[in-house]
Amino acid sequence: MSTTITTPVPAIISIRGLTKAYGTFTVLHGIDLDIAEGEVVCVIGPSGSGKSTLIRCINHLEPFSADSTITVDGIRVAPGKALAKVRAEVGMVFQSFNLFPHMTVLKNVMLAPMRVRGTVKADAERKARDLLARVGIGEQAEKFPAQLSGGQQQRVAIARALAMEPRVLLFDEPTSSLDPEMVGEVLDVMRKLAGTGVTMIIVTHEMGFARQVADRVIFMDSGRLVEAGTPEQIFDSPRQERTRSFLRAVL
Ligand code: ADP
Ligand code: MG
């Protein structure tokens, strides 16, 4: 069973019939989903349910079946020239930070605007310093990633994504590889971002956070969107048995 999930306002992300297979194994089974501009959506579900694959398809980090369509801000996500435009609008933050180890924190944040947007160095640096201050690590700008804690590295990764002024931010379990004492500082930064109007899709196991910040929570299982609703609907009165049993196990 699958649910079609659309929004009444114009969607910045529109996904229709998204199917994805690895060889003979189908990971996503015809997903339909609209995300409204400015919406904060948390995606929850068991390991292996296709959460990462779903969000990686949005900027085509994973290729998907040719009869599926994804549009971001009206641009069709497909191999070719338009993909650079999509990727410039869609920032991504990974579980494993993925910072460039041989570059300072400052350079990590300056790189994409200079390379992709052609921002001049002085402007890129001013912007990067502003963003690093905003995520609470302004004083770490000259350090290398390995000299920072996991929580600080993840905040650099968020600043780096923001430097491109994306319309959409995708987060794939951004706190899952952090020591417990560092989870809060990263969630705090994300909570602040959620109020700024940027569209966010967050794959997370932090149910308390999802309840607080999400406009909508989506529960996935076995490559399908099983149920979606407000945090209150999903956490307090889930309709599907699969959602209930998942929540019983994690809450
Ligand atoms: P989640 O993020 O919800 O844990 P994923 O999207 O990572 O789930 O994976 C969904 C399914 O696809 C899993 O069964 C996983 O084993 C499979 N999968 C993910 N990546 C690959 C790959 N590169 N090759 C083959 N199977 C994969
Ligand atoms: Mg995953």
Side-chain angles (χ1 to χ4, degrees):
M1 186 207 53
S2 194
T3 317
T4 298
I5 297 163
T6 56
T7 60
V9 274
I12 184 154
I13 299 173
S14 190
I15 298 173
R16 288 292 175 275
L18 176 60
T19 298
K20 158 86 187 168
Y22 290 110
T24 56
F25 177 63
T26 301
V27 184
L28 299 175
H29 297 269
I31 289 187
D32 295 314
L33 175 65
D34 279 348
I35 309 273
E37 174 130 48
E39 200 179 8
V40 177
V41 174
C42 286
V43 181
I44 63 170
S47 181
S49 57
K51 305 181 298 296
S52 295
T53 306
L54 170 64
I55 66 168
R56 291 169 62 85
C57 285
I58 294 172
N59 54 5
H60 212 273
L61 287 179
E62 293 290 348
F64 47 84
S65 125
D67 53 2
S68 316
T69 59
I70 301 181
T71 57
V72 174
D73 200 16
I75 309 166
R76 174 99 183 248
V77 178
K81 249 182 125 184
L83 193 54
K85 194 144 189 291
V86 169
R87 288 188 176 160
E89 291 201 21
V90 179
M92 183 140 185
V93 175
F94 303 88
Q95 183 175 336
S96 53
F97 323 139
N98 294 8
L99 297 173
F100 302 111
H102 59 291
M103 285 181 197
T104 63
V105 160
L106 184 68
K107 288 271 158 62
N108 263 277
V109 180
M110 290 167 63
L111 188 70
M114 290 176 63
R115 285 245 177 109
V116 181
R117 294 232 191 269
T119 307
V120 300
K121 193 171 172 198
D123 291 345
E125 176 166 347
R126 193 174 320 114
K127 179 91 174 289
R129 290 191 186 279
D130 273 0
L131 286 168
L132 288 168
R134 238 175 95 187
V135 300
I137 40 176
E139 67 291 355
Q140 315 290 344
E142 325 302 333
K143 290 191 180 168
F144 287 88
Q147 297 172 293
L148 304 185
S149 72
Q152 291 172 324
Q153 289 187 54
Q154 194 58 304
R155 286 184 283 150
V156 175
I158 294 172
R160 184 178 61 174
L162 289 172
M164 287 291 285
E165 299 183 356
R167 306 273 302 275
V168 176
L169 276 174
L170 308 174
F171 294 87
D172 193 359
E173 298 196 33
T175 61
S176 290
S177 65
L178 298 177
D179 291 334
E181 72 269 24
M182 290 166 189
V183 169
E185 67 195 46
V186 171
L187 293 181
D188 282 346
V189 166
M190 294 170 64
R191 201 173 283 122
K192 274 193 229 154
L193 273 178
T196 63
V198 64
T199 306
M200 295 166 77
I201 306 181
I202 307 163
V203 175
T204 186
H205 293 293
E206 296 289 335
M207 300 298 154
F209 171 78
R211 182 190 275 274
Q212 258 189 347
V213 307
D215 297 309
R216 196 154 47 128
V217 175
I218 291 176
F219 173 68
M220 278 186 79
D221 192 23
S222 306
R224 290 185 168 86
L225 305 186
V226 173
E227 184 166 359
T230 63
E232 293 70 29
Q233 278 163 359
I234 297 296
F235 292 121
D236 300 336
S237 41
R239 289 182 295 265
Q240 303 295 331
E241 177 49 36
R242 272 189 292 173
T243 315
R244 283 196 285 270
S245 61
F246 172 75
L247 291 172
R248 266 198 303 276
V250 299
L251 289 178

